[in-house]
Amino acid sequence: MSGFVSFESGSLKDAFGGVGSDSSALKGKKIVVGMSGGVDSSVAALLLKQAGAEVIGLFMNNWKEEDGGVCTSAADWEDVIGVCGKLDIPYYSVDFSEEYMKNVFETFLREYEIGRTPNPDVLCNREIKFKPFKHYAEMLGADYIATGHYCGIRQNNTPELLTAADESKDQTYFLNQVETQSLNNVLFPLASMRKKDVRVLAEKHGLVTAEKKDSTGVCFIGERNFKKFLSGYLPACSGEIRDLSGKVVGRHDGLMYYTLGQRRGLGIGGIKGERENRWYVVEKNLKDNILVVSCGEGEELMSQSLRSGKFNVIGERNFGHTFECGVKVRYRQPCQRASVEIKKDGTLKIKFFDRQRAVTAGQYAVLYKDGRCLGGATIEEVFR
């Protein structure tokens, strides 16, 4: 399977490999679509339905509250019902909360405990959407699964993950840990579409999600007060905020609530003799429970290189042990030119052509070359 899809025009750009070069090749194929209750998955289901596929909507419950109730996000589920009803397709709900707790949330908490800043959305894709979700879809007899991710897929000798036409919405960063074999028999119908056109198409076909805002917040935990939420699982220990000279300039509520480069929520007012710049987080000293801050332009946050964990390669490894490519160390970032060395143990040493600001352990370094996401690795150490 391959490429950038344009079902609305009745054809597939960059053919789907084994599926064929025309959307009619999907006619009669059973495709299970991961329905989130948002406009993207809604339009993905619409496009596949228009292509003549037998479409089934599947909504995932990935979180249980302490009182035993499942946090299904009632509004999202209602929207799934509305969209599937409009498209005249069957829909189901499946509970993956146990898998989410064990394989995503517990890792999420461990990372915060050791002072790192994790990205649960990346783990959710690897551990839920492209594992138990895909297996469940296969039990339903699916020929393919599909999601509303903005990215593409190409079948070479193995599936390759491609960047989306809408660069501002490209979501390959969040898929960097998905295993290559998990991308077999996967479709991304929005690969060639821009977000504004997705909304226009949803409105044209009367889908209730046409004007629904994009969700924010932690993956499947939702838009809630994160500080209050996290305090229910990890004990917070307040402590001193000090500047680089060691001077106490305030108090923090718990190191887990802060991340490198953070400027808001520090609670530090103007201090006599200091520059009239905003304070920002430079370091989290776990040993002494001290939050280290600075006031200025952020020079202390600049770094030239990093060391990562084991590199998850997506697709064929048709590159050497040393090569140049684009690298992202956060989602909302253009690719940064860098030289990469793959060590014998599979870890990476990445050196950037230009210094980077606030590269953070626990996040991901994701590699790109010629419109392809090569995969990624967890950032372990940053060299400043």
Side-chain angles (χ1 to χ4, degrees):
M1 290 172 291
S2 149
F4 297 146
V5 190
S6 179
F7 292 108
E8 185 71 359
S9 64
S11 65
L12 303 181
K13 296 180 181 179
D14 282 345
F16 262 84
V19 177
S21 59
D22 191 276
S23 59
S24 61
L26 295 176
K27 189 173 183 179
K29 297 293 184 181
K30 183 178 286 188
I31 303 176
V32 174
V33 180
M35 302 293 290
S36 67
V39 66
D40 298 328
S41 59
S42 301
V43 170
L46 165 67
L47 294 173
L48 293 166
K49 173 81 173 184
Q50 288 180 331
E54 179 188 346
V55 180
I56 298 172
L58 190 59
F59 179 77
M60 293 176 286
N61 294 316
N62 288 349
W63 185 256
K64 280 187 178 179
E65 298 292 356
E66 289 185 349
D67 60 8
V70 178
C71 180
T72 61
S73 181
D76 288 339
W77 175 235
E78 288 299 317
D79 287 338
V80 169
I81 294 172
V83 169
C84 292
K86 183 71 175 179
L87 298 178
D88 191 26
I89 62 174
Y91 54 91
Y92 304 95
S93 175
V94 62
D95 183 2
F96 291 135
S97 58
E98 184 176 339
E99 292 90 339
Y100 186 88
M101 175 61 72
K102 180 180 178 181
N103 299 323
V104 178
F105 191 64
E106 289 182 2
T107 300
F108 170 83
L109 292 180
R110 285 196 299 271
E111 288 287 283
Y112 269 108
E113 281 185 307
I114 61 175
R116 293 167 34 131
T117 304
N119 190 319
D121 300 271
V122 173
L123 282 177
C124 183
N125 280 315
R126 185 185 74 189
E127 299 295 336
I128 306 297
K129 292 179 183 175
F130 292 92
K131 281 189 179 176
F133 172 84
K134 192 178 184 208
H135 295 159
Y136 192 92
E138 290 168 350
M139 287 193 300
L140 293 175
D143 296 300
Y144 303 97
I145 70 162
T147 73
H149 285 101
Y150 286 86
C151 57
I153 195 164
R154 175 174 61 211
Q155 185 69 37
N156 204 346
N157 294 326
T158 58
E160 294 180 346
L161 186 63
L162 308 178
T163 54
D166 190 340
E167 292 183 5
S168 67
K169 291 295 180 180
D170 178 76
Q171 291 177 303
T172 52
Y173 181 90
F174 297 114
L175 298 175
N176 82 84
Q177 289 296 294
V178 175
E179 297 171 355
T180 298
Q181 62 267 28
S182 296
L183 291 172
N184 283 312
N185 303 320
V186 172
L187 305 176
F188 295 120
L190 305 187
S192 68
M193 297 193 68
R194 300 193 177 278
K195 182 71 177 211
K196 63 179 182 180
D197 297 322
V198 167
R199 291 198 180 278
V200 168
L201 193 57
E203 184 175 6
K204 174 183 174 182
H205 291 274
L207 302 185
V208 296
T209 54
E211 297 182 4
K212 187 174 181 178
K213 292 182 179 180
D214 292 341
S215 61
T216 59
V218 177
C219 176
F220 291 104
I221 296 170
E223 300 177 38
R224 63 181 76 189
N225 185 307
F226 180 69
K227 190 173 182 178
K228 181 179 179 181
F229 170 80
L230 194 58
S231 67
Y233 292 90
L234 295 177
C237 182
S238 63
E240 295 176 340
I241 301 177
R242 297 189 181 191
D243 66 14
L244 291 171
S245 70
K247 177 182 176 182
V248 177
V249 295
R251 291 193 63 80
H252 65 78
D253 297 325
L255 294 179
M256 62 187 177
Y257 300 132
Y258 305 87
T259 189
L260 291 185
Q262 180 177 331
R263 291 181 180 271
R264 295 182 179 180
L266 301 182
I268 305 174
I271 297 177
K272 186 176 181 181
E274 293 288 353
R275 293 169 288 182
E276 295 299 320
N277 287 316
R278 295 178 66 181
W279 295 90
Y280 56 88
V281 176
V282 174
E283 179 189 347
K284 295 194 287 185
N285 181 339
L286 267 71
K287 180 177 178 293
D288 299 316
N289 193 32
I290 294 172
L291 187 70
V292 183
V293 299
S294 184
C295 184
E297 299 300 322
E299 182 65 22
E300 296 87 354
L301 291 172
M302 304 303 289
S303 61
Q304 193 80 44
S305 60
L306 65 85
R307 178 182 63 82
S308 82
K310 191 170 183 180
F311 180 30
N312 176 58
V313 180
I314 299 176
E316 187 175 4
R317 182 171 164 173
N318 51 6
F319 43 86
H321 289 284
T322 59
F323 56 95
E324 293 182 6
C325 67
V327 178
K328 291 185 180 182
V329 294
R330 60 181 61 86
Y331 172 49
R332 298 288 188 187
Q333 179 190 38
C335 276
Q336 305 296 303
R337 291 178 63 206
S339 61
V340 177
E341 179 185 358
I342 305 177
K343 301 290 189 178
K344 289 182 178 180
D345 61 359
T347 62
L348 302 177
K349 177 68 180 293
I350 298 176
K351 185 174 182 179
F352 295 97
F353 284 50
D354 299 312
R355 293 194 305 161
Q356 303 297 307
R357 186 180 188 277
V359 180
T360 305
Q363 292 286 295
Y364 293 89
V366 185
L367 280 55
Y368 294 87
K369 194 174 184 66
D370 299 327
R372 175 187 162 196
C373 175
L374 305 180
T378 309
I379 299 169
E380 297 293 337
E381 186 177 6
V382 180
F383 302 101
R384 293 195 171 88

